[in-house]
Amino acid sequence: MARAAVPGGLSARRAWREATLVERRPETDSAVTLVLDVDGWPGHLPGQHVDVRLTAPDGYTATRSYSVSAPERGDRVELTVQRVPDGEVSTFLADGLAVGDAVRVRGPVGGWFVWRTGQPGPVLLVAGGSGVVPLMAILRARGPGAAPFRLVYSVRGPDDVIYRDELAVLAATDGVDVRLVHTRRAPDVDKRPVGRLRESDLAAPGWTGEDAPTCYVCGPTGFVEGAADLLVALGHAADRIRTERFGPSGP
Amino acid sequence: MTIPDGPGPTAAYDGNLMAGPLSELFALDVTVAVVRCRGCGADAEVATLRVYGPEPGLVGRCPGCDDVLVRVVRTPDAVWLDLGGVTSLQVPAPKR
């Protein structure tokens, strides 16, 4: 990948910038979307993340990575933050940061777990919990008439679906398929027995290894390992499976 | 820094998390670079390393043999980078 392929060039990506909260949008009981205004934002690719740094009055700093949830739109950067129990950064961002407050962000960073407009071939997105966030940026970046996209999204229960209304709209779009996988509680109309992601959730006509979709898997580490193994068992080539693990926490 | 022996807990991050800290050091995005493991000889993109952290720093292990390949620690006034576990780092670069 050439240098020019990463928005903003180099020094631009390294800089810590002031990011002011302009809007907060609750998504679920525990997830909130933060719309930040970042002066001079160099732009980003769907799937990239930013590092967010908080500084306490005594100088103590904490830095965490958050995926960007929406495609490039000027100086606006949207993050969706899932509150992690005892997470000092996520709880502050989810509950303490008010509109008008500022944090520092660095990025965009990461050039591997990205989807580029015009990238050929179908796209299979596999999300566990808040792993849906970077995948939503990819899904939102899909243009009309593009190759088919499929999102398989594993959640504990119906109340945990981030972007629920928008996903319902997207699911009715030509070329987009959304399948929700409920691990603990499912709506009555869902005939699938609750439980962890399994092969039958990923197997579908048009989505076999031979159809050669590029697969993006994001979620808690255990989920990602399991989903990637299932994809390989279904015949997907390992070099078409991109993974991003966000650690032990999550559903 | 204490580094666990053998395979660590399954709960870990991956090399995508190294993108920010490494952007302080490298001109290009190193998470798409391929490193060769000194232990088993396998090649892996930095993004696919098993990463433990984030405090006191990030430790990246080989997805094949679990050897420690890359360590990055950010102190208040320095970035420490230990590449002792890799024999080469191949970074995609613009055509010259």
Side-chain angles (χ1 to χ4, degrees):
Chain A
M1 182 184 49
R3 172 186 300 208
V6 175
L10 303 167
S11 52
R13 283 190 294 127
R14 268 198 295 267
W16 286 99
R17 299 161 194 280
E18 188 161 281
T20 306
L21 184 67
V22 292
E23 185 191 345
R24 65 167 46 244
R25 235 173 17 234
E27 302 283 359
T28 66
D29 284 350
S30 60
V32 59
T33 291
L34 306 176
V35 184
L36 300 166
D37 184 78
V38 190
D39 192 33
W41 181 246
H44 59 271
L45 296 169
Q48 285 192 296
H49 63 268
V50 298
D51 289 346
V52 175
R53 186 166 73 186
L54 305 179
T55 304
D58 65 359
Y60 169 78
T61 65
T63 304
R64 297 290 183 274
S65 292
Y66 291 97
S67 293
V68 182
S69 53
E72 186 173 330
R73 181 164 62 99
D75 285 349
R76 294 296 161 93
V77 177
E78 293 194 24
L79 313 177
T80 302
V81 176
Q82 173 96 41
R83 218 179 270 113
V84 178
D86 301 324
E88 57 182 2
V89 176
S90 68
T91 49
F92 175 77
L93 292 176
D95 304 322
L97 192 70
V99 168
D101 288 351
V103 294
R104 307 285 282 177
V105 302
R106 171 173 66 189
V109 292
W112 195 74
F113 195 82
V114 298
W115 179 81
R116 292 177 163 78
T117 308
Q119 181 178 314
V123 173
L124 176 57
L125 307 167
V126 184
S130 58
V132 74
V133 174
L135 304 184
M136 193 62 178
I138 294 175
L139 190 53
R140 284 168 165 165
R142 177 186 183 271
F149 279 39
R150 181 175 201 234
L151 170 67
V152 179
Y153 178 13
S154 169
V155 290
R156 284 180 176 170
D159 295 339
D160 301 312
V161 180
I162 303 174
Y163 317 123
R164 183 198 337 232
D165 295 345
E166 190 179 350
L167 285 175
V169 172
L170 283 166
T173 309
D174 269 355
V176 177
D177 179 37
V178 176
R179 183 186 172 94
L180 292 177
V181 170
H182 298 90
T183 61
R184 298 195 188 170
R185 297 176 312 282
D188 293 339
V189 294
D190 192 343
K191 292 191 177 62
R192 177 190 181 277
V194 293
R196 287 181 174 223
L197 187 76
R198 39 191 177 249
E199 224 173 74
S200 54
D201 299 321
L202 296 170
W207 296 100
T208 68
E210 282 183 15
D211 299 302
T214 305
C215 306
Y216 295 85
V217 185
C218 186
T221 302
F223 173 87
V224 170
E225 307 274 340
D229 287 349
L230 289 174
L231 288 169
V232 169
L234 284 165
H236 292 273
D239 64 3
R240 286 192 175 276
I241 303 170
R242 307 224 150 190
T243 50
E244 184 163 88
R245 299 160 178 80
F246 59 64
S249 57
Chain B
M1 181 187 308
T2 304
I3 297 170
D5 289 326
T10 52
Y13 301 93
D14 60 32
N16 294 297
L17 191 63
M18 289 184 155
L22 290 175
S23 74
E24 289 196 272
L25 292 170
F26 289 96
L28 298 164
D29 172 38
V30 176
T31 61
V32 300
V34 173
V35 287
R36 179 161 296 170
C37 174
R38 188 178 293 280
C40 72
D43 288 337
E45 286 96 350
V46 170
T48 67
L49 301 186
R50 304 286 187 262
V51 168
Y52 297 77
E55 305 299 344
L58 300 177
V59 177
R61 288 175 174 269
C62 176
C65 74
D66 215 43
D67 268 8
V68 173
L69 302 189
V70 182
R71 294 187 292 175
V72 194
V73 179
R74 185 67 163 93
T75 67
D77 57 1
V79 186
W80 292 76
L81 175 65
D82 173 359
L83 286 169
V86 307
T87 55
S88 68
L89 178 75
Q90 182 193 336
V91 188
K95 280 201 167 57
R96 46 181 300 183

